[in-house]
Amino acid sequence: MNCKTYLYLTLLIVVLSCCGFTPADKNQNRYASFSPGEVWEDDQGVAINAHGGGILYYQDTYYWFGEHKGERSNAAFVGVTCYSSTDLYNWRNEGVALSVSDNPESPIVKGSTIERPKVIYNAKTGKFVMYFHLELIGRGYEAAHVGVAVSDQVTGPYRLVKHGRVNAGIWPMNMTEEQRNSNVKHTDFEQWWTPEWMAAIKDGLLVRRDFEGGQMSRDMTLFVDDDGKAYHIYASEENLTLQIAELTDDYLDYTGNYVRVEPGGHNEAPAIFKKGGRYFMITSGCTGWDPNAARLLTAERVMGTWTLHPNPARGEDADLTFQSQSTFVIPVQGKRDAFIFMADRWRPRRPIDGRYIWLPILFEDGMPVLKWFDEWDLSIFNNK
Ligand code: DGJ
């Protein structure tokens, strides 16, 4: 290289740096594989902060929405973040999609709890609709509300339109007349967890307790079926029973059709997908921020009946789902029957350092199987 070329090159580097083509751009195509549990940086070189998240695929781009976590607290002091990607490895920070409020009267005031946000697109209204688990400030986890927010743009800003319990004054479709009319009350039991109490739970004790005010809604996900119908799947009845509620055509409300799944089964963290006309759901047990063994359920129709199967995880740490808890299943675009299991390895002492566990869903005899990989890429789906 002669002196002149060297000078030109140096000048070019200086100009590009001044125009902002700096480390951020170096990060843009930095990853070509997934490394579950390792720090995963965005286009700015900052660790991705989108926990308990979900992915929306819209106009050739994946959008990852998740909980912004702080250094010390799991409460929401920023809101729901959004990242975008075209290859699932490299993520661009799109900022805060739903911001917490400074107004102490707002249900999403700074310090409230906003968990497991999921966004779906409604082609009829042209709106992006976000559902999330909302706990009101100062009330621990007792409110058990769902929050609904809407935006005209995929990355936001999203505006909170409503929050509350689910399907007040409506019975689940799969609760019998006898169960609906039972006189057994929640207050009849001095002690929880006895065989009698558990039998009463299965019979809808808490559905009856919450009938007027609406059903509890904590850990949650959304699912849009091939026919465009959307469903809200959530841990209800004090996390003892999952419920699946059908949404109206605009995705902003409930049709009133809903079912109970695995009454008394103590499932949370539901993540659902469909393959070959069959519905699969991966869930966890309820042990707070600590991991436990995943569960697998299948159904021929979204509204059930759902059948429980053994833990789909295999190998070392399978009984702790590789130290993680499910949050979403990503259908990989352009590849047949390719799905990614998306989970969180929570770090409650330093929530911002929670890690993402993304693993390929493999199939054995038609059933999903999760195996640990230190590193993997999408080519794993090529030779199925
Ligand atoms: C487990 C849930 O899956 C999380 O989303 C969170 O609610 C924690 N419990 C709180 O302990």
Side-chain angles (χ1 to χ4, degrees):
M1 194 188 297
N2 65 29
C3 238
K4 223 168 166 185
T5 321
Y6 183 79
L7 202 73
Y8 277 135
L9 275 178
T10 316
L11 202 68
L12 188 69
I13 290 168
V14 171
V15 170
L16 286 178
S17 309
C18 294
C19 296
F21 290 91
T22 44
D25 300 276
K26 267 201 273 153
N27 269 306
Q28 242 155 41
N29 288 308
R30 163 174 174 190
Y31 297 107
S33 61
F34 302 103
S35 299
E38 298 299 316
V39 171
W40 196 351
E41 292 181 353
D42 65 10
D43 61 320
Q44 311 291 314
V46 176
I48 294 172
N49 196 336
H51 308 267
I55 305 274
L56 169 69
Y57 186 72
Y58 177 72
Q59 291 187 344
D60 300 329
T61 303
Y62 296 93
Y63 293 89
W64 176 354
F65 297 87
E67 305 160 24
H68 179 280
K69 299 264 191 204
E71 285 285 339
R72 286 172 188 279
S73 170
N74 272 296
F77 286 96
V78 172
V80 175
T81 49
C82 177
Y83 295 80
S84 66
S85 172
T86 50
D87 62 9
L88 287 167
Y89 305 122
N90 298 284
W91 293 88
R92 179 187 144 107
N93 188 343
E94 299 284 357
V96 181
L98 174 74
S99 295
V100 292
S101 170
D102 287 322
N103 178 356
E105 302 299 315
S106 167
I108 54 168
V109 63
K110 266 185 192 151
S112 57
T113 296
I114 294 177
E115 290 181 351
R116 298 184 178 267
K118 306 288 179 285
V119 174
I120 52 180
Y121 175 64
N122 189 293
K124 285 188 190 134
T125 62
K127 305 266 184 215
F128 297 89
V129 184
M130 178 189 291
Y131 277 54
F132 56 94
H133 169 199
L134 172 67
E135 293 295 347
L136 305 175
I137 193 162
R139 289 176 51 187
Y141 276 83
E142 76 165 34
H145 281 191
V146 59
V148 182
V150 170
S151 173
D152 291 326
Q153 278 89 39
V154 59
T155 54
Y158 286 77
R159 180 177 53 87
L160 182 74
V161 287
K162 62 175 94 168
H163 69 99
R165 294 261 179 112
V166 178
N167 277 324
I170 301 173
W171 293 111
M173 291 154 74
N174 58 352
M175 216 167 133
T176 64
E177 279 301 313
E178 201 184 329
Q179 290 173 330
R180 295 176 191 196
N181 296 326
S182 163
N183 288 325
V184 181
K185 280 192 266 346
H186 176 62
T187 43
D188 294 344
F189 295 87
E190 274 174 23
Q191 241 190 310
W192 284 30
W193 305 111
T194 62
E196 298 73 28
W197 178 84
M198 192 42 102
I201 290 291
K202 288 184 183 165
D203 265 348
L205 182 75
L206 297 175
V207 178
R208 291 194 297 275
R209 181 196 72 181
D210 294 338
F211 181 73
E212 270 176 36
Q215 301 299 309
M216 301 177 90
S217 171
R218 291 199 184 124
D219 277 12
M220 55 137 282
T221 194
L222 295 176
F223 176 71
V224 181
D225 209 342
D226 303 330
D227 60 3
K229 275 222 160 294
Y231 302 84
H232 176 211
I233 300 121
Y234 50 99
S236 194
E237 305 175 35
E238 306 285 356
N239 288 353
L240 285 154
T241 299
L242 289 170
Q243 294 184 355
I244 301 182
E246 187 184 66
L247 302 184
T248 51
D249 284 351
D250 59 8
Y251 300 167
L252 295 177
D253 212 337
Y254 298 98
T255 61
N257 291 336
Y258 76 109
V259 290
R260 306 173 71 215
V261 176
E262 278 296 297
H266 227 183
N267 286 282
E268 59 180 7
I272 184 172
F273 66 103
K274 186 180 186 182
K275 175 183 173 276
R278 196 172 187 202
Y279 300 86
F280 297 87
M281 183 152 56
I282 299 176
T283 68
S284 75
C286 302
T287 48
W289 300 111
D290 295 333
N292 54 57
R295 290 107 181 257
L296 173 68
L297 297 111
T298 58
E300 301 309 316
R301 278 176 293 275
V302 194
M303 298 298 255
T305 311
W306 287 85
T307 306
L308 184 66
H309 304 273
N311 182 358
R314 300 281 159 77
E316 200 183 327
D317 259 358
D319 54 342
L320 295 176
T321 322
F322 316 111
Q323 310 277 352
S324 72
Q325 188 184 27
S326 43
T327 183
F328 197 75
V329 171
I330 310 167
V332 180
Q333 302 300 314
K335 292 191 188 271
R336 203 161 165 255
D337 294 341
F339 300 94
I340 299 175
F341 173 71
M342 194 175 160
D344 293 279
R345 184 174 285 170
W346 304 112
R347 294 259 166 96
R349 289 209 191 106
R350 194 171 170 243
I352 195 172
D353 194 33
R355 301 296 170 86
Y356 310 106
I357 307 298
W358 287 26
L359 294 169
I361 299 186
L362 308 171
F363 289 89
E364 285 176 12
D365 300 325
M367 294 298 272
V369 168
L370 298 171
K371 290 181 183 163
W372 179 259
F373 291 87
D374 287 334
E375 188 180 0
W376 65 281
D377 63 50
L378 295 173
S379 68
I380 200 166
F381 296 120
N382 292 352
N383 306 313
K384 287 187 299 145

